[in-house]
Amino acid sequence: MSKEQTGGIIVLFGGTGDLAESMIFPALHQLFKQEKFSDHFALVGVSRKDMSDQEYRDYAREAVVNEEEENNINEEFFKHLFYQSADNTELDDFEKLSETIQKAADEFDTDSSYIYYYSLPPSLYDETTTNLKKSGILDLEGSHRVAVEKPFGESLESSKDYYELFEKAFKPEEIYLVDHFLGMDSLQNILATRYYNPFLEAIWNRDYIEHVQISLPEDFSIGARGSFYDENGALLDMFQNHILQILSFVAMDLPDEMEEDKINKKKLDLFKHIPEFKAEDVKEKVARGQYDSYREEEDVPEDSLTESYIAIELEIDKERWRDVPFYVRTGKSLAENHMTVDVLLKMPYDVSVSEQPRLTFSIQPQVGLSILMNQNHSGKAEEVVKTVLGPDKETMESVYIPEPYENVLADILKGSKRHLSTFEQVKEQWRITDSIKNGMENLPDPSFPNYETGSKGPKEADELLEKNNHSWIYRE
């Protein structure tokens, strides 16, 4: 992250929500401790709850203490926090918000930079943006940016509708689309490893790579998210945004410079080369699952057909990746819990080894690159044994690794989109996802539930790879 300091006003809509409490406050506090902020900044939290400024500061402090040791707290940070109770549908409340913004600006002589962070349901985007404009807040002299949390829409068409709402008040360069996975240093490391190691990029093609697996299994259930999750399922909750973004780092062509605009253009080009799924493709290349107690979760219908697991085989219509399948999987209540990319290398000879050589990028909880190779067994010329190199735990544990929201928020503050998505990418992600969703809707109802809690997932996911003589790499 840049050493330069930033100031201005952050208006946090949804200022008492789960995201603010668990992610945004701790991340902003870290940035403050690292002196990423100048003295001329303030944050105004906005929600429907009644709170004084001091009560809000106490609330934020408690959220930070939940993530950090008490003796690591910088008390100065909380003095920069203000609060305004507001109903986002009421214009009068935005006039009060304008007064609070001015109060915060006067107290800290803030820079003329304004960021509006929407930690809100999409149903409030329209009236929130309209009232920001009608109240005159967007007419304040200076720069204005809006940051919007995923999911951005529920389909390609709805994403276009939402974007048009923002375009009525903001320029395209002022609209920031947040997918916090992009803030993970361990994900960004995939691209960096390819870029800074030419020998690796030399084999990054169909001549040397047999297939790729992107795995995001989770060992916990949907918990209290039943209402939201049952409307989305694994496809919309994880594949449309997170998984496709991970795929882009693995499969995109490298830019000639590691510059954000060039990176985003290469990612967009990659998405455009992922074909839409036809009905027959969905039948043959998509496996769905639902864990055995899913329908017993809070706010989930007892006859729900929403998938809590999905596995997909994708192809990329580029010569580099011709005939190389990309398998992705994610699900809830499984035996595993990690984010991993496995790149399986071809075996050019008819030899027998215990495990196929591969490169593994560990994203969470372990981080870093490891390589599995085969070598001669000492003293036994006819036997080979596997050797695993990395990840370099000593190096990884000796450096500070920012939390994803630290990188995301730092980007927004300084006007960068290195750790954010673009709307052109989002549209392509929805194009791909909509084709899968439409294909699933036109298939017979799945036989759910079809996997046990704590298992590896449905047998259909294994069969998806077995037809190509491949198999998932499972990690207990």
PDB file of all heavy atoms in Angstrom, residues 5 9 37 89 123 171 174 182 209 229 252-253 266 285 302 309 315 325 338 397 422 434-436 446:
ATOM      1  N   GLN A   5      -0.443   9.858   2.634  1.00  0.00           N
ATOM      2  CA  GLN A   5      -1.555   9.998   3.566  1.00  0.00           C
ATOM      3  C   GLN A   5      -2.752  10.602   2.854  1.00  0.00           C
ATOM      4  O   GLN A   5      -2.608  11.386   1.925  1.00  0.00           O
ATOM      5  CB  GLN A   5      -1.143  10.878   4.744  1.00  0.00           C
ATOM      6  CG  GLN A   5      -0.099  10.255   5.647  1.00  0.00           C
ATOM      7  CD  GLN A   5       0.185  11.110   6.863  1.00  0.00           C
ATOM      8  OE1 GLN A   5       0.221  12.332   6.793  1.00  0.00           O
ATOM      9  NE2 GLN A   5       0.377  10.475   7.992  1.00  0.00           N
ATOM     10  N   ILE A   9     -13.676  12.997   3.967  1.00  0.00           N
ATOM     11  CA  ILE A   9     -14.819  12.467   4.705  1.00  0.00           C
ATOM     12  C   ILE A   9     -15.234  11.121   4.124  1.00  0.00           C
ATOM     13  O   ILE A   9     -15.381  10.971   2.911  1.00  0.00           O
ATOM     14  CB  ILE A   9     -16.027  13.422   4.609  1.00  0.00           C
ATOM     15  CG1 ILE A   9     -15.700  14.790   5.210  1.00  0.00           C
ATOM     16  CG2 ILE A   9     -17.260  12.809   5.271  1.00  0.00           C
ATOM     17  CD1 ILE A   9     -15.808  14.889   6.699  1.00  0.00           C
ATOM     18  N   PHE A  37      -3.722   7.710   7.053  1.00  0.00           N
ATOM     19  CA  PHE A  37      -4.584   8.891   7.112  1.00  0.00           C
ATOM     20  C   PHE A  37      -3.786  10.106   7.548  1.00  0.00           C
ATOM     21  O   PHE A  37      -2.888  10.007   8.390  1.00  0.00           O
ATOM     22  CB  PHE A  37      -5.720   8.681   8.120  1.00  0.00           C
ATOM     23  CG  PHE A  37      -6.793   7.751   7.661  1.00  0.00           C
ATOM     24  CD1 PHE A  37      -6.960   6.512   8.254  1.00  0.00           C
ATOM     25  CD2 PHE A  37      -7.662   8.117   6.644  1.00  0.00           C
ATOM     26  CE1 PHE A  37      -7.960   5.645   7.848  1.00  0.00           C
ATOM     27  CE2 PHE A  37      -8.664   7.267   6.220  1.00  0.00           C
ATOM     28  CZ  PHE A  37      -8.814   6.028   6.823  1.00  0.00           C
ATOM     29  N   THR A  89     -34.578   6.654   2.969  1.00  0.00           N
ATOM     30  CA  THR A  89     -35.652   7.009   2.042  1.00  0.00           C
ATOM     31  C   THR A  89     -36.194   8.411   2.302  1.00  0.00           C
ATOM     32  O   THR A  89     -37.042   8.883   1.550  1.00  0.00           O
ATOM     33  CB  THR A  89     -36.814   6.005   2.149  1.00  0.00           C
ATOM     34  OG1 THR A  89     -37.438   6.115   3.445  1.00  0.00           O
ATOM     35  CG2 THR A  89     -36.312   4.578   1.956  1.00  0.00           C
ATOM     36  N   SER A 123     -31.829  -2.741  -2.550  1.00  0.00           N
ATOM     37  CA  SER A 123     -33.125  -2.059  -2.598  1.00  0.00           C
ATOM     38  C   SER A 123     -33.036  -0.598  -2.163  1.00  0.00           C
ATOM     39  O   SER A 123     -33.942   0.194  -2.450  1.00  0.00           O
ATOM     40  CB  SER A 123     -34.144  -2.797  -1.719  1.00  0.00           C
ATOM     41  OG  SER A 123     -33.689  -2.857  -0.379  1.00  0.00           O
ATOM     42  N   LYS A 171     -19.680   9.836 -11.977  1.00  0.00           N
ATOM     43  CA  LYS A 171     -18.997   9.462 -13.211  1.00  0.00           C
ATOM     44  C   LYS A 171     -18.480   8.030 -13.063  1.00  0.00           C
ATOM     45  O   LYS A 171     -18.240   7.573 -11.942  1.00  0.00           O
ATOM     46  CB  LYS A 171     -17.828  10.415 -13.473  1.00  0.00           C
ATOM     47  CG  LYS A 171     -18.234  11.863 -13.644  1.00  0.00           C
ATOM     48  CD  LYS A 171     -17.011  12.752 -13.740  1.00  0.00           C
ATOM     49  CE  LYS A 171     -17.401  14.220 -13.811  1.00  0.00           C
ATOM     50  NZ  LYS A 171     -16.215  15.126 -13.823  1.00  0.00           N
ATOM     51  N   GLU A 174     -15.760   7.343 -10.741  1.00  0.00           N
ATOM     52  CA  GLU A 174     -16.055   7.603  -9.333  1.00  0.00           C
ATOM     53  C   GLU A 174     -16.801   6.446  -8.676  1.00  0.00           C
ATOM     54  O   GLU A 174     -17.100   6.496  -7.487  1.00  0.00           O
ATOM     55  CB  GLU A 174     -16.886   8.875  -9.200  1.00  0.00           C
ATOM     56  CG  GLU A 174     -16.171  10.139  -9.667  1.00  0.00           C
ATOM     57  CD  GLU A 174     -17.077  11.357  -9.718  1.00  0.00           C
ATOM     58  OE1 GLU A 174     -18.319  11.196  -9.824  1.00  0.00           O
ATOM     59  OE2 GLU A 174     -16.542  12.483  -9.661  1.00  0.00           O
ATOM     60  N   LEU A 182     -10.558  -9.571  -3.793  1.00  0.00           N
ATOM     61  CA  LEU A 182      -9.502  -8.913  -4.560  1.00  0.00           C
ATOM     62  C   LEU A 182      -8.506  -8.198  -3.663  1.00  0.00           C
ATOM     63  O   LEU A 182      -7.420  -7.826  -4.103  1.00  0.00           O
ATOM     64  CB  LEU A 182     -10.118  -7.932  -5.560  1.00  0.00           C
ATOM     65  CG  LEU A 182     -10.979  -8.562  -6.655  1.00  0.00           C
ATOM     66  CD1 LEU A 182     -11.590  -7.489  -7.539  1.00  0.00           C
ATOM     67  CD2 LEU A 182     -10.160  -9.526  -7.490  1.00  0.00           C
ATOM     68  N   ILE A 209       0.262 -27.856 -18.912  1.00  0.00           N
ATOM     69  CA  ILE A 209      -0.762 -27.947 -17.867  1.00  0.00           C
ATOM     70  C   ILE A 209      -1.897 -28.839 -18.334  1.00  0.00           C
ATOM     71  O   ILE A 209      -2.471 -28.633 -19.404  1.00  0.00           O
ATOM     72  CB  ILE A 209      -1.285 -26.540 -17.508  1.00  0.00           C
ATOM     73  CG1 ILE A 209      -0.161 -25.718 -16.852  1.00  0.00           C
ATOM     74  CG2 ILE A 209      -2.494 -26.630 -16.575  1.00  0.00           C
ATOM     75  CD1 ILE A 209      -0.543 -24.281 -16.540  1.00  0.00           C
ATOM     76  N   TYR A 229     -29.206 -16.427   1.801  1.00  0.00           N
ATOM     77  CA  TYR A 229     -28.546 -17.505   1.083  1.00  0.00           C
ATOM     78  C   TYR A 229     -29.522 -18.282   0.209  1.00  0.00           C
ATOM     79  O   TYR A 229     -29.180 -18.662  -0.920  1.00  0.00           O
ATOM     80  CB  TYR A 229     -27.845 -18.455   2.060  1.00  0.00           C
ATOM     81  CG  TYR A 229     -26.867 -19.364   1.372  1.00  0.00           C
ATOM     82  CD1 TYR A 229     -25.533 -19.003   1.228  1.00  0.00           C
ATOM     83  CD2 TYR A 229     -27.274 -20.585   0.833  1.00  0.00           C
ATOM     84  CE1 TYR A 229     -24.619 -19.819   0.573  1.00  0.00           C
ATOM     85  CE2 TYR A 229     -26.374 -21.409   0.178  1.00  0.00           C
ATOM     86  CZ  TYR A 229     -25.061 -21.016   0.051  1.00  0.00           C
ATOM     87  OH  TYR A 229     -24.179 -21.836  -0.620  1.00  0.00           O
ATOM     88  N   MET A 252      -5.582 -15.348 -17.032  1.00  0.00           N
ATOM     89  CA  MET A 252      -5.422 -14.174 -17.882  1.00  0.00           C
ATOM     90  C   MET A 252      -4.044 -14.133 -18.527  1.00  0.00           C
ATOM     91  O   MET A 252      -3.077 -14.683 -17.997  1.00  0.00           O
ATOM     92  CB  MET A 252      -5.633 -12.901 -17.053  1.00  0.00           C
ATOM     93  CG  MET A 252      -4.616 -12.716 -15.952  1.00  0.00           C
ATOM     94  SD  MET A 252      -4.945 -11.265 -14.914  1.00  0.00           S
ATOM     95  CE  MET A 252      -4.053 -10.005 -15.817  1.00  0.00           C
ATOM     96  N   ASP A 253      -3.957 -13.480 -19.689  1.00  0.00           N
ATOM     97  CA  ASP A 253      -2.652 -13.188 -20.267  1.00  0.00           C
ATOM     98  C   ASP A 253      -1.989 -12.102 -19.428  1.00  0.00           C
ATOM     99  O   ASP A 253      -2.669 -11.216 -18.897  1.00  0.00           O
ATOM    100  CB  ASP A 253      -2.800 -12.701 -21.709  1.00  0.00           C
ATOM    101  CG  ASP A 253      -3.299 -13.794 -22.639  1.00  0.00           C
ATOM    102  OD1 ASP A 253      -3.076 -14.980 -22.330  1.00  0.00           O
ATOM    103  OD2 ASP A 253      -3.920 -13.455 -23.668  1.00  0.00           O
ATOM    104  N   LYS A 266      -6.707  -7.042 -19.154  1.00  0.00           N
ATOM    105  CA  LYS A 266      -6.401  -8.445 -19.401  1.00  0.00           C
ATOM    106  C   LYS A 266      -7.415  -9.370 -18.724  1.00  0.00           C
ATOM    107  O   LYS A 266      -7.780 -10.416 -19.270  1.00  0.00           O
ATOM    108  CB  LYS A 266      -4.982  -8.770 -18.910  1.00  0.00           C
ATOM    109  CG  LYS A 266      -3.871  -8.112 -19.728  1.00  0.00           C
ATOM    110  CD  LYS A 266      -3.845  -8.618 -21.160  1.00  0.00           C
ATOM    111  CE  LYS A 266      -2.646  -8.061 -21.919  1.00  0.00           C
ATOM    112  NZ  LYS A 266      -2.600  -8.532 -23.333  1.00  0.00           N
ATOM    113  N   LYS A 285     -21.641 -30.437 -17.230  1.00  0.00           N
ATOM    114  CA  LYS A 285     -20.477 -29.787 -16.627  1.00  0.00           C
ATOM    115  C   LYS A 285     -20.757 -29.057 -15.322  1.00  0.00           C
ATOM    116  O   LYS A 285     -19.899 -28.331 -14.829  1.00  0.00           O
ATOM    117  CB  LYS A 285     -19.857 -28.805 -17.637  1.00  0.00           C
ATOM    118  CG  LYS A 285     -19.346 -29.482 -18.896  1.00  0.00           C
ATOM    119  CD  LYS A 285     -18.674 -28.499 -19.839  1.00  0.00           C
ATOM    120  CE  LYS A 285     -18.118 -29.215 -21.062  1.00  0.00           C
ATOM    121  NZ  LYS A 285     -17.391 -28.292 -21.973  1.00  0.00           N
ATOM    122  N   GLU A 302     -38.809 -25.687   3.744  1.00  0.00           N
ATOM    123  CA  GLU A 302     -38.574 -27.121   3.966  1.00  0.00           C
ATOM    124  C   GLU A 302     -38.476 -27.909   2.664  1.00  0.00           C
ATOM    125  O   GLU A 302     -38.049 -29.060   2.676  1.00  0.00           O
ATOM    126  CB  GLU A 302     -39.693 -27.707   4.830  1.00  0.00           C
ATOM    127  CG  GLU A 302     -41.077 -27.589   4.232  1.00  0.00           C
ATOM    128  CD  GLU A 302     -42.153 -28.123   5.155  1.00  0.00           C
ATOM    129  OE1 GLU A 302     -41.871 -28.298   6.359  1.00  0.00           O
ATOM    130  OE2 GLU A 302     -43.274 -28.377   4.665  1.00  0.00           O
ATOM    131  N   TYR A 309     -23.856 -26.304  -2.561  1.00  0.00           N
ATOM    132  CA  TYR A 309     -22.597 -26.797  -3.143  1.00  0.00           C
ATOM    133  C   TYR A 309     -22.725 -26.706  -4.653  1.00  0.00           C
ATOM    134  O   TYR A 309     -23.792 -26.987  -5.219  1.00  0.00           O
ATOM    135  CB  TYR A 309     -22.347 -28.248  -2.731  1.00  0.00           C
ATOM    136  CG  TYR A 309     -21.080 -28.864  -3.301  1.00  0.00           C
ATOM    137  CD1 TYR A 309     -19.958 -29.034  -2.494  1.00  0.00           C
ATOM    138  CD2 TYR A 309     -20.995 -29.250  -4.639  1.00  0.00           C
ATOM    139  CE1 TYR A 309     -18.781 -29.592  -3.004  1.00  0.00           C
ATOM    140  CE2 TYR A 309     -19.826 -29.797  -5.161  1.00  0.00           C
ATOM    141  CZ  TYR A 309     -18.735 -29.958  -4.334  1.00  0.00           C
ATOM    142  OH  TYR A 309     -17.578 -30.506  -4.852  1.00  0.00           O
ATOM    143  N   GLU A 315     -14.371 -24.013 -19.693  1.00  0.00           N
ATOM    144  CA  GLU A 315     -13.354 -23.970 -20.732  1.00  0.00           C
ATOM    145  C   GLU A 315     -13.074 -22.514 -21.087  1.00  0.00           C
ATOM    146  O   GLU A 315     -13.904 -21.629 -20.870  1.00  0.00           O
ATOM    147  CB  GLU A 315     -13.810 -24.734 -21.980  1.00  0.00           C
ATOM    148  CG  GLU A 315     -15.048 -24.142 -22.651  1.00  0.00           C
ATOM    149  CD  GLU A 315     -15.474 -24.934 -23.873  1.00  0.00           C
ATOM    150  OE1 GLU A 315     -16.138 -25.971 -23.699  1.00  0.00           O
ATOM    151  OE2 GLU A 315     -15.124 -24.495 -24.993  1.00  0.00           O
ATOM    152  N   PRO A 325      -9.254 -28.231 -19.076  1.00  0.00           N
ATOM    153  CA  PRO A 325     -10.432 -27.933 -18.240  1.00  0.00           C
ATOM    154  C   PRO A 325     -10.039 -27.189 -16.961  1.00  0.00           C
ATOM    155  O   PRO A 325      -9.001 -27.466 -16.356  1.00  0.00           O
ATOM    156  CB  PRO A 325     -10.995 -29.320 -17.912  1.00  0.00           C
ATOM    157  CG  PRO A 325      -9.856 -30.259 -18.074  1.00  0.00           C
ATOM    158  CD  PRO A 325      -8.907 -29.659 -19.072  1.00  0.00           C
ATOM    159  N   HIS A 338     -10.770 -24.258   3.104  1.00  0.00           N
ATOM    160  CA  HIS A 338      -9.594 -23.594   2.544  1.00  0.00           C
ATOM    161  C   HIS A 338      -9.941 -22.963   1.207  1.00  0.00           C
ATOM    162  O   HIS A 338     -10.998 -23.227   0.626  1.00  0.00           O
ATOM    163  CB  HIS A 338      -8.435 -24.590   2.361  1.00  0.00           C
ATOM    164  CG  HIS A 338      -8.743 -25.748   1.466  1.00  0.00           C
ATOM    165  ND1 HIS A 338      -8.628 -25.697   0.099  1.00  0.00           N
ATOM    166  CD2 HIS A 338      -9.177 -27.003   1.759  1.00  0.00           C
ATOM    167  CE1 HIS A 338      -8.963 -26.860  -0.423  1.00  0.00           C
ATOM    168  NE2 HIS A 338      -9.310 -27.673   0.567  1.00  0.00           N
ATOM    169  N   GLU A 397       5.407 -15.656   7.725  1.00  0.00           N
ATOM    170  CA  GLU A 397       5.058 -15.332   9.104  1.00  0.00           C
ATOM    171  C   GLU A 397       5.845 -14.146   9.648  1.00  0.00           C
ATOM    172  O   GLU A 397       5.534 -13.616  10.707  1.00  0.00           O
ATOM    173  CB  GLU A 397       5.276 -16.559   9.992  1.00  0.00           C
ATOM    174  CG  GLU A 397       4.297 -17.693   9.696  1.00  0.00           C
ATOM    175  CD  GLU A 397       4.599 -18.954  10.472  1.00  0.00           C
ATOM    176  OE1 GLU A 397       5.591 -18.952  11.236  1.00  0.00           O
ATOM    177  OE2 GLU A 397       3.861 -19.955  10.313  1.00  0.00           O
ATOM    178  N   THR A 422     -14.238  -3.981 -12.062  1.00  0.00           N
ATOM    179  CA  THR A 422     -14.788  -2.955 -12.944  1.00  0.00           C
ATOM    180  C   THR A 422     -16.157  -3.422 -13.423  1.00  0.00           C
ATOM    181  O   THR A 422     -16.447  -4.626 -13.435  1.00  0.00           O
ATOM    182  CB  THR A 422     -13.887  -2.713 -14.164  1.00  0.00           C
ATOM    183  OG1 THR A 422     -13.926  -3.882 -15.018  1.00  0.00           O
ATOM    184  CG2 THR A 422     -12.445  -2.445 -13.736  1.00  0.00           C
ATOM    185  N   ASP A 434     -25.388 -16.130 -15.591  1.00  0.00           N
ATOM    186  CA  ASP A 434     -26.786 -16.215 -16.027  1.00  0.00           C
ATOM    187  C   ASP A 434     -27.017 -17.428 -16.909  1.00  0.00           C
ATOM    188  O   ASP A 434     -28.067 -18.082 -16.831  1.00  0.00           O
ATOM    189  CB  ASP A 434     -27.179 -14.943 -16.788  1.00  0.00           C
ATOM    190  CG  ASP A 434     -27.493 -13.765 -15.877  1.00  0.00           C
ATOM    191  OD1 ASP A 434     -27.554 -13.974 -14.641  1.00  0.00           O
ATOM    192  OD2 ASP A 434     -27.679 -12.646 -16.387  1.00  0.00           O
ATOM    193  N   SER A 435     -26.035 -17.738 -17.768  1.00  0.00           N
ATOM    194  CA  SER A 435     -26.225 -18.887 -18.662  1.00  0.00           C
ATOM    195  C   SER A 435     -26.274 -20.193 -17.864  1.00  0.00           C
ATOM    196  O   SER A 435     -27.032 -21.106 -18.199  1.00  0.00           O
ATOM    197  CB  SER A 435     -25.104 -18.936 -19.708  1.00  0.00           C
ATOM    198  OG  SER A 435     -23.847 -19.276 -19.137  1.00  0.00           O
ATOM    199  N   ILE A 436     -25.490 -20.272 -16.791  1.00  0.00           N
ATOM    200  CA  ILE A 436     -25.531 -21.463 -15.936  1.00  0.00           C
ATOM    201  C   ILE A 436     -26.841 -21.510 -15.161  1.00  0.00           C
ATOM    202  O   ILE A 436     -27.495 -22.560 -15.068  1.00  0.00           O
ATOM    203  CB  ILE A 436     -24.332 -21.476 -14.977  1.00  0.00           C
ATOM    204  CG1 ILE A 436     -23.024 -21.543 -15.762  1.00  0.00           C
ATOM    205  CG2 ILE A 436     -24.425 -22.654 -14.002  1.00  0.00           C
ATOM    206  CD1 ILE A 436     -21.771 -21.382 -14.902  1.00  0.00           C
ATOM    207  N   PRO A 446     -33.382 -31.103  -8.846  1.00  0.00           N
ATOM    208  CA  PRO A 446     -32.361 -32.005  -8.292  1.00  0.00           C
ATOM    209  C   PRO A 446     -32.904 -32.799  -7.115  1.00  0.00           C
ATOM    210  O   PRO A 446     -33.896 -32.407  -6.483  1.00  0.00           O
ATOM    211  CB  PRO A 446     -31.259 -31.041  -7.832  1.00  0.00           C
ATOM    212  CG  PRO A 446     -31.973 -29.756  -7.558  1.00  0.00           C
ATOM    213  CD  PRO A 446     -33.090 -29.683  -8.561  1.00  0.00           C
TER     214      PRO A 446
END
